[in-house]
Amino acid sequence: MKQEMMTIISQIKIAPKIFELILKGKLVKEMKTPGQFLHIKVPQADLLLRRPISLASIDQKKETCTVIYRVEGVGTESLSLLKKNDFLDVMGPLGNGFDTAFVKPNDRVFIIGGGIGVPPLYQLSKELKQRQAKVVHLLGFAKKEVIFYEEEFRALGETYYSTDDGSYGILGHAGNLLVKARKVGEPSAVYACGSNGLLKMVEQNFSTHPHAYLSLEARMACGMGACYACVCHLQKDETGTKSKKICDEGPVFPTGEVIL
Amino acid sequence: MKQEMMTIISQIKIAPKIFELILKGKLVKEMKTPGQFLHIKVPQADLLLRRPISLASIDQKKETCTVIYRVEGVGTESLSLLKKNDFLDVMGPLGNGFDTAFVKPNDRVFIIGGGIGVPPLYQLSKELKQRQAKVVHLLGFAKKEVIFYEEEFRALGETYYSTDDGSYGILGHAGNLLVKARKVGEPSAVYACGSNGLLKMVEQNFSTHPHAYLSLEARMACGMGACYACVCHLQKDETGTKSKKICDEGPVFPTGEVIL
Amino acid sequence: MNNQLKVSLPGLELKNPIIPASGCFGFGAEYAKYFDLSCLGSIMIKATTLEPRFGNATPRVAETPSGMLNAIGLQNPGLDVVMSEKLPALEKYDLPIIANVAGSCEEDYVAVCAKIGDAPNVKAIELNISCPNVKHGGIAFGTDPDVAYELTKAVMKVTKVPIYVKLSPNVTNIVPIAQAIDAGGADGLTMINTLLGMRIDLKTRKPILANQTGGLSGPAIKPIAIRLIHQVSQITDLPIIGMGGIYTADDVLEMFMAGASAVAVGTANFTDPYICPKLIEALPQRMEELGIESLEQLRKEVRENRR
Amino acid sequence: MNNQLKVSLPGLELKNPIIPASGCFGFGAEYAKYFDLSCLGSIMIKATTLEPRFGNATPRVAETPSGMLNAIGLQNPGLDVVMSEKLPALEKYDLPIIANVAGSCEEDYVAVCAKIGDAPNVKAIELNISCPNVKHGGIAFGTDPDVAYELTKAVMKVTKVPIYVKLSPNVTNIVPIAQAIDAGGADGLTMINTLLGMRIDLKTRKPILANQTGGLSGPAIKPIAIRLIHQVSQITDLPIIGMGGIYTADDVLEMFMAGASAVAVGTANFTDPYICPKLIEALPQRMEELGIESLEQLRKEVRENRR
Ligand SMILES: Cc1cc2nc3c(=O)[nH]c(=O)nc-3n(C[C@H](O)[C@H](O)[C@H](O)COP(=O)(O)OP(=O)(O)OC[C@H]3O[C@@H](n4cnc5c(N)ncnc54)[C@H](O)[C@@H]3O)c2cc1C
Ligand SMILES: Cc1cc2nc3c(=O)[nH]c(=O)nc-3n(C[C@H](O)[C@H](O)[C@H](O)COP(=O)(O)OP(=O)(O)OC[C@H]3O[C@@H](n4cnc5c(N)ncnc54)[C@H](O)[C@@H]3O)c2cc1C
Ligand SMILES: Cc1cc2nc3c(=O)[nH]c(=O)nc-3n(C[C@H](O)[C@H](O)[C@H](O)COP(=O)(O)O)c2cc1C
Ligand SMILES: Cc1cc2nc3c(=O)[nH]c(=O)nc-3n(C[C@H](O)[C@H](O)[C@H](O)COP(=O)(O)O)c2cc1C
Ligand code: FES
Ligand code: FES
């Protein structure tokens, strides 16, 4: 099964313009890897394209999953109006998530996130914790008010914040947190999700690291590899004709592979 | 005020594909004349045009009005999914309704309706009853199952039915009822709403009657006289360039005026 | 603050850029029952022809996904009635009027253009050479550059007010047509008119519209309008009044960013009779959010950024 | 009962008329994870060019009201890979394949058409002379009757399978183009390709698509497709595979009533990956409600009722 009318268990605003949506359905059984995303049909007849939204957390026992999204345009606006017990047309899980199989107990792992790139890192961090890794969260936000899930991340490991306006944590972007964190010790794995600027920064820092992963975004149509909407160029391709599709060959890529 | 987000008080299916919808709002204050219609914005983003639906009954005390409609296409289908306490974008009341000012006590009045043309005749009949007219209802339907408001009409006066398949009342269309009713006595007023065939039949029978009225239908856009979507030709116009707009100069016209 | 929405075009000093589109607002009288027309930037009145016209047979409208088809066929009471009744009725509003002019042949256009500018409140003419719903004239004038050039020149000779020529999207290449109209001396362009479409009734298996085909309008055509306005604004300095599917303040601003200098709102009036005043009210806040000081400033920026 | 949905076209004996449209279904492999492709009438595979192509820069898609824009730019792995990997992978399905062929010049088209019909499951070619998203070739071949005629003749000489030529809606008059293709000897037509459109990002004030313009598809364009199919079916006996905004069984039947003999479903696959099997399932009931015995019967009736 790859598509379902899932039931909304709850929808709450957890920060300005940011919503946490909990969905229940059989589709949850398929959701196994952090970093995968759902392709959501917003219930508005004139909007044809689905919206890709990352899985923020998965609860197999309760048969529920959580997504966290920011209201950006008409689609997410319309999504935010849904209420408990409403149905939602969900495709997924799609894409390849974050590889964690190699992580060993006590590995020092960096999770680097920015703004609305933070949600998928939560399920990732939960799984890394299960693998008994020592997770260090380096999270950048625009300002204090838009930070969400602070308690949840702190419960999983060291957590540091930067804000663009200095209203919480250190001033500046997550790169500044990274500099500090590397001084304490180099990571055995790095996972990042956020703006293109953030991803480029991580790429530069860990271009040859064997276990550094970036989660990319792209405007999508099919979400499953059929339409070529979401491609990116490869770093090692002189012809310029090769590409990877972010939807089904990503959204997570190791550093050194694709051009950001 | 000419437009309002009215509140749905109830919506029930009263016959196969036929729904009775009760709306509450300040707009009801403006609703004074039977035969006027509401221009309803169906809550589906890709449907731009409003749907004209006749007022079936008005209750000034409760600040409610009732419409009765049949599911025909996507718009009425979507409308039928609305529930109690939902809001509905309503423009109106629009058009000129049925003239009843001239009716005197004990006037024998014919109300002729067919199928989904019957709803506006209910409020009309209530008002004629208040004027102490003797109302005779001649109502044609496809078959027994799709008849609605039978008790309501019987409570207001003599009521006769015809059905296309003979499953209730006499076999055939409302014209057969009319022949019988005229034998008993000629009406001092006639009001009709229904298919084009029904209206033509009434037009032929009462083309020179001083108080015979037909309620017409047309595909509409603006609903208020600005777009010329809903025009009809005039009987007395040799140039062929004159017209009446059904939305704001109708939907009710006396016989002898427009070409059906 | 107050000047934020002002735009200035040949013949038209508009307090805001919102203009009900021709054919979707009659001659204003009906909507005047809903709101005070003085709030509008202008009104484009229903197409006016020399003689009265009944137009096409009904049905004249059909619905399509995020759009509608119309085949009204330029029904109007004719030049004399427009001059003697319809335009004077609008004089009580503080409002420049744009008169939409149509015809079956060059002489008709010339005759109407020569006279309609005499009305004191008509400040500009919109030359409708793109109506897809009439057999003679209409769109035929708008798909051939030479014909468009000749017609523009002919009406420019007789008119007292600026002429805006309304372009058809139903063409392989709009550039030579816009250039011909520019060369013919027009003062501006309006675009787009409707796209030719059809719907079929599944029960009768025949076209819904009596005219078979009709003009497609509404949000469905907005991306086509944006593309054409963008394309034409790159090759001419004529101001463009943009239209095609405007429903929101964002749509208005998107048209400006494509190259429009004012906008007309058509189909949306049918969905919401108050749409024009609502757009006027919504624009300032949306502009602030997007860092747009004023529409004149935005126009300038867009012009400067042309390729 | 079972033959109700069967349609027969040159080279194509289809068990039902539902065909995923080119570019919206890749080479089938991805959707094969969702359902058994054997249920389909056929598949129109992604445009294939002689050499591999990367296509345009991203973003390549944008959303519009009841529609979407794409400017993929014909990305594909090239003829060799299509022949050696993509087409063989489809052989396990009971399915005739329609190969969509594109090129930058006549020689390219000829080279691909000469070879791709060698694949045992390719039963027809769809000649894409209407892609609006590439600089060279594409749409240029589809807007000039003479060019379309020459190209059709050239590929007809080398091909072993029937050729269907895909028409562009971005033209002033589609009739001479369809006639030229008919005269060139094509076996059928497919229509419509996308309409040129644009969206602008209000924050950057630049087009959303890297390519600036893109092709508009989806229900927004359905009335335009219906009109063009109706128009072309009046002037040629070539069978038409109709497309443009199909989302429901009613849409399929409306296209047949306009003159189509089969249909392709594009954008709808993105909204609902199961749309094609759903349409196949929904058709019989809807046909019964509307008193349509079989699609072949409907085709006959529509042809007979032409003006
Ligand atoms: C793999 C992936 C995972 C994502 N996970 C999350 C998440 O967990 N939480 C979250 O808030 N956002 C996430 N996004 C971004 C999210 O998809 C967009 O914010 C959302 O689609 C915007 O939709 P809209 O209707 O509000 O905006 P509109 O601008 O109205 O959308 C119009 C179209 O553009 C597309 N679009 C607009 N912005 C983006 C974008 N940034 N990325 C991709 N498509 C876009 C939409 O999908 C839609 O097709 C993710 C994106 C991708 C690709
Ligand atoms: C003055 C007036 C009063 C009416 N009163 C009633 C009533 O009380 N009860 C009732 O059931 N119906 C009534 N109708 C008919 C009703 O408007 C249509 O059945 C309805 O619009 C169909 O909408 P749809 O979306 O279901 O159909 P669709 O076919 O999907 O509608 C598509 C478009 O066509 C228009 N349309 C389709 N059929 C008609 C029609 N018969 N008349 C006018 N427009 C049509 C729709 O308004 C819409 O714009 C009335 C019509 C008019 C003109
Ligand atoms: C019902 C209707 C009638 C129209 N009549 C005219 C007309 O008389 N003259 C004209 O130039 N355009 C006419 N148009 C086109 C509109 O002015 C406008 O160009 C088009 O509808 C696109 O804008 P919209 O999408 O906002 O409606 C008409 C459009 C509609 C829907
Ligand atoms: C993402 C995308 C890619 C497309 N690629 C091609 C293509 O490679 N070749 C082609 O002939 N048409 C292509 N098309 C056009 C479709 O085949 C179809 O003609 C058009 O989308 C209209 O149908 P629809 O409204 O059902 O999508 C593409 C359309 C889309 C949306
Ligand atoms: S979104 Fe279609 S291939 Fe990625
Ligand atoms: S519906 Fe517009 S004039 Fe009647």
Side-chain angles (χ1 to χ4, degrees), chain C residues 209-220:
Chain C
L209 300 177
N211 189 52
Q212 299 215 339
T213 61
L216 179 64
S217 61

PDB file of all heavy atoms in Angstrom, chain C residues 209-220:
ATOM      1  N   LEU C 209     -22.677  25.431 -25.102  1.00  0.00           N
ATOM      2  CA  LEU C 209     -22.984  26.762 -25.609  1.00  0.00           C
ATOM      3  C   LEU C 209     -23.688  26.675 -26.963  1.00  0.00           C
ATOM      4  O   LEU C 209     -23.276  25.909 -27.833  1.00  0.00           O
ATOM      5  CB  LEU C 209     -21.703  27.576 -25.775  1.00  0.00           C
ATOM      6  CG  LEU C 209     -20.883  27.799 -24.503  1.00  0.00           C
ATOM      7  CD1 LEU C 209     -19.597  28.551 -24.829  1.00  0.00           C
ATOM      8  CD2 LEU C 209     -21.699  28.570 -23.459  1.00  0.00           C
ATOM      9  N   ALA C 210     -24.716  27.496 -27.124  1.00  0.00           N
ATOM     10  CA  ALA C 210     -25.418  27.540 -28.408  1.00  0.00           C
ATOM     11  C   ALA C 210     -24.445  27.899 -29.520  1.00  0.00           C
ATOM     12  O   ALA C 210     -24.544  27.414 -30.643  1.00  0.00           O
ATOM     13  CB  ALA C 210     -26.559  28.551 -28.344  1.00  0.00           C
ATOM     14  N   ASN C 211     -23.474  28.738 -29.203  1.00  0.00           N
ATOM     15  CA  ASN C 211     -22.462  29.164 -30.166  1.00  0.00           C
ATOM     16  C   ASN C 211     -21.376  28.110 -30.371  1.00  0.00           C
ATOM     17  O   ASN C 211     -20.400  28.357 -31.053  1.00  0.00           O
ATOM     18  CB  ASN C 211     -21.828  30.469 -29.656  1.00  0.00           C
ATOM     19  CG  ASN C 211     -20.911  31.124 -30.661  1.00  0.00           C
ATOM     20  OD1 ASN C 211     -21.305  31.345 -31.800  1.00  0.00           O
ATOM     21  ND2 ASN C 211     -19.691  31.409 -30.247  1.00  0.00           N
ATOM     22  N   GLN C 212     -21.527  26.952 -29.739  1.00  0.00           N
ATOM     23  CA  GLN C 212     -20.525  25.879 -29.734  1.00  0.00           C
ATOM     24  C   GLN C 212     -19.278  26.273 -28.954  1.00  0.00           C
ATOM     25  O   GLN C 212     -19.007  25.725 -27.902  1.00  0.00           O
ATOM     26  CB  GLN C 212     -20.162  25.440 -31.153  1.00  0.00           C
ATOM     27  CG  GLN C 212     -21.374  24.899 -31.926  1.00  0.00           C
ATOM     28  CD  GLN C 212     -20.980  23.769 -32.859  1.00  0.00           C
ATOM     29  OE1 GLN C 212     -19.846  23.600 -33.241  1.00  0.00           O
ATOM     30  NE2 GLN C 212     -21.964  22.953 -33.207  1.00  0.00           N
ATOM     31  N   THR C 213     -18.473  27.208 -29.459  1.00  0.00           N
ATOM     32  CA  THR C 213     -17.271  27.623 -28.741  1.00  0.00           C
ATOM     33  C   THR C 213     -17.538  28.898 -27.946  1.00  0.00           C
ATOM     34  O   THR C 213     -18.476  29.644 -28.225  1.00  0.00           O
ATOM     35  CB  THR C 213     -16.107  27.894 -29.704  1.00  0.00           C
ATOM     36  OG1 THR C 213     -16.506  28.942 -30.578  1.00  0.00           O
ATOM     37  CG2 THR C 213     -15.748  26.653 -30.500  1.00  0.00           C
ATOM     38  N   GLY C 214     -16.688  29.123 -26.955  1.00  0.00           N
ATOM     39  CA  GLY C 214     -16.795  30.340 -26.149  1.00  0.00           C
ATOM     40  C   GLY C 214     -15.419  30.754 -25.678  1.00  0.00           C
ATOM     41  O   GLY C 214     -14.424  30.053 -25.905  1.00  0.00           O
ATOM     42  N   GLY C 215     -15.364  31.881 -25.003  1.00  0.00           N
ATOM     43  CA  GLY C 215     -14.085  32.409 -24.533  1.00  0.00           C
ATOM     44  C   GLY C 215     -13.815  31.958 -23.108  1.00  0.00           C
ATOM     45  O   GLY C 215     -14.636  32.155 -22.218  1.00  0.00           O
ATOM     46  N   LEU C 216     -12.641  31.381 -22.899  1.00  0.00           N
ATOM     47  CA  LEU C 216     -12.266  30.879 -21.574  1.00  0.00           C
ATOM     48  C   LEU C 216     -11.629  32.006 -20.759  1.00  0.00           C
ATOM     49  O   LEU C 216     -10.694  32.657 -21.207  1.00  0.00           O
ATOM     50  CB  LEU C 216     -11.272  29.719 -21.728  1.00  0.00           C
ATOM     51  CG  LEU C 216     -10.751  29.076 -20.442  1.00  0.00           C
ATOM     52  CD1 LEU C 216     -11.876  28.402 -19.664  1.00  0.00           C
ATOM     53  CD2 LEU C 216      -9.652  28.065 -20.763  1.00  0.00           C
ATOM     54  N   SER C 217     -12.155  32.214 -19.553  1.00  0.00           N
ATOM     55  CA  SER C 217     -11.620  33.231 -18.643  1.00  0.00           C
ATOM     56  C   SER C 217     -11.478  32.628 -17.260  1.00  0.00           C
ATOM     57  O   SER C 217     -11.860  31.493 -17.027  1.00  0.00           O
ATOM     58  CB  SER C 217     -12.552  34.445 -18.608  1.00  0.00           C
ATOM     59  OG  SER C 217     -13.834  34.058 -18.124  1.00  0.00           O
ATOM     60  N   GLY C 218     -10.933  33.407 -16.332  1.00  0.00           N
ATOM     61  CA  GLY C 218     -10.780  32.944 -14.961  1.00  0.00           C
ATOM     62  C   GLY C 218      -9.361  32.484 -14.649  1.00  0.00           C
ATOM     63  O   GLY C 218      -8.484  32.501 -15.517  1.00  0.00           O
ATOM     64  N   PRO C 219      -9.131  32.064 -13.379  1.00  0.00           N
ATOM     65  CA  PRO C 219      -7.778  31.688 -12.941  1.00  0.00           C
ATOM     66  C   PRO C 219      -7.108  30.653 -13.836  1.00  0.00           C
ATOM     67  O   PRO C 219      -5.879  30.617 -13.927  1.00  0.00           O
ATOM     68  CB  PRO C 219      -8.020  31.107 -11.541  1.00  0.00           C
ATOM     69  CG  PRO C 219      -9.252  31.777 -11.063  1.00  0.00           C
ATOM     70  CD  PRO C 219     -10.104  31.999 -12.282  1.00  0.00           C
ATOM     71  N   ALA C 220      -7.894  29.798 -14.495  1.00  0.00           N
ATOM     72  CA  ALA C 220      -7.319  28.796 -15.393  1.00  0.00           C
ATOM     73  C   ALA C 220      -6.357  29.432 -16.392  1.00  0.00           C
ATOM     74  O   ALA C 220      -5.338  28.835 -16.747  1.00  0.00           O
ATOM     75  CB  ALA C 220      -8.431  28.047 -16.136  1.00  0.00           C
TER      76      ALA C 220
END
